[in-house]
Amino acid sequence: MPKTPAELFAFLDKLGIAVVTKEHPPLFTVADSRALRGEIAGAHTKNLFLKDKKDNYFLVTVDEEAEVDLKQIHHLIGAAGRVSFGRPEALMGFLGVVPGAVTVFGLINDDGRRVRAVLDESLMRNALVNAHPLTNEATTTIASGDLLRFVQATGHEAAILKVTAG
């Protein structure tokens, strides 16, 4: 069973990572989340759950406004050829979330370390980063350094790469 937001918060607390979470109506797209601007400080994320032709999976986390060239990103993230979006069943199986709630925090559910975490370097220059805490009915603010600590604590190597234009 996938972890719950409460289990995520307990994991973060055990690591000594302080976060602030704001509950809100479900948000399914970046456009939906723009309604919260001004209420939640920090960079807001967009997450791409991708797979290549050899069934390697990637979670690419970028700033919500960032443009990602899906025809070229495979060169940047080390994929075996072009990538496509992972199927909802794989998303649930590996990260424990549904489409519309994809989040870097889903790495807590990837016990088999099947998903490679890629954090955009421009996103990580922000002091604060916002992501859904395993549900799209809340947004959690975390310091970027603590986000990196979280990813590493889940047993993943966080690749910090320039994957966006600009």
Side-chain angles (χ1 to χ4, degrees):
M1 288 294 296
K3 301 235 181 338
T4 65
E7 290 170 313
L8 168 66
F9 297 138
F11 182 79
L12 292 167
D13 189 53
K14 187 174 162 185
L15 294 172
I17 295 175
V19 296
V20 175
T21 299
K22 178 174 177 53
E23 293 184 8
H24 49 67
L27 304 173
F28 296 97
T29 65
V30 169
D32 291 345
S33 67
R34 286 193 182 109
L36 296 176
R37 292 314 156 259
E39 292 182 44
I40 302 175
H44 294 265
T45 56
K46 170 169 55 178
N47 297 274
L48 307 173
F49 180 64
L50 306 172
K51 75 175 268 314
D52 67 16
K53 64 184 180 183
K54 292 192 175 181
D55 288 335
N56 295 307
Y57 288 87
F58 303 84
L59 178 64
V60 179
T61 302
V62 301
D63 184 274
E64 70 176 356
E65 300 293 334
E67 291 187 23
V68 177
D69 184 347
L70 290 176
K71 293 179 181 171
Q72 296 298 319
I73 194 170
H74 63 284
H75 296 296
L76 304 171
I77 63 174
R82 289 215 174 158
V83 295
S84 59
F85 289 103
R87 298 178 61 82
E89 301 81 20
L91 178 61
M92 177 54 77
F94 296 138
L95 300 180
V97 294
V98 297
V102 183
T103 174
V104 67
F105 290 125
L107 293 171
I108 195 171
N109 289 309
D110 183 28
D111 296 331
R113 318 260 185 305
R114 285 285 318 271
V115 179
R116 181 170 183 215
V118 178
L119 304 172
D120 186 54
E121 72 175 17
S122 62
L123 173 72
M124 296 306 289
R125 283 191 223 120
N126 290 281
L128 299 174
V129 175
N130 295 291
H132 291 312
L134 308 176
T135 174
N136 64 355
E137 296 178 340
T139 297
T140 295
T141 305
I142 186 170
S144 57
D146 286 340
L147 178 59
L148 193 54
R149 283 183 46 224
F150 162 78
V151 171
Q152 292 166 339
T154 66
H156 293 81
E157 292 279 333
I160 300 176
L161 304 171
K162 180 172 176 33
V163 295
T164 56

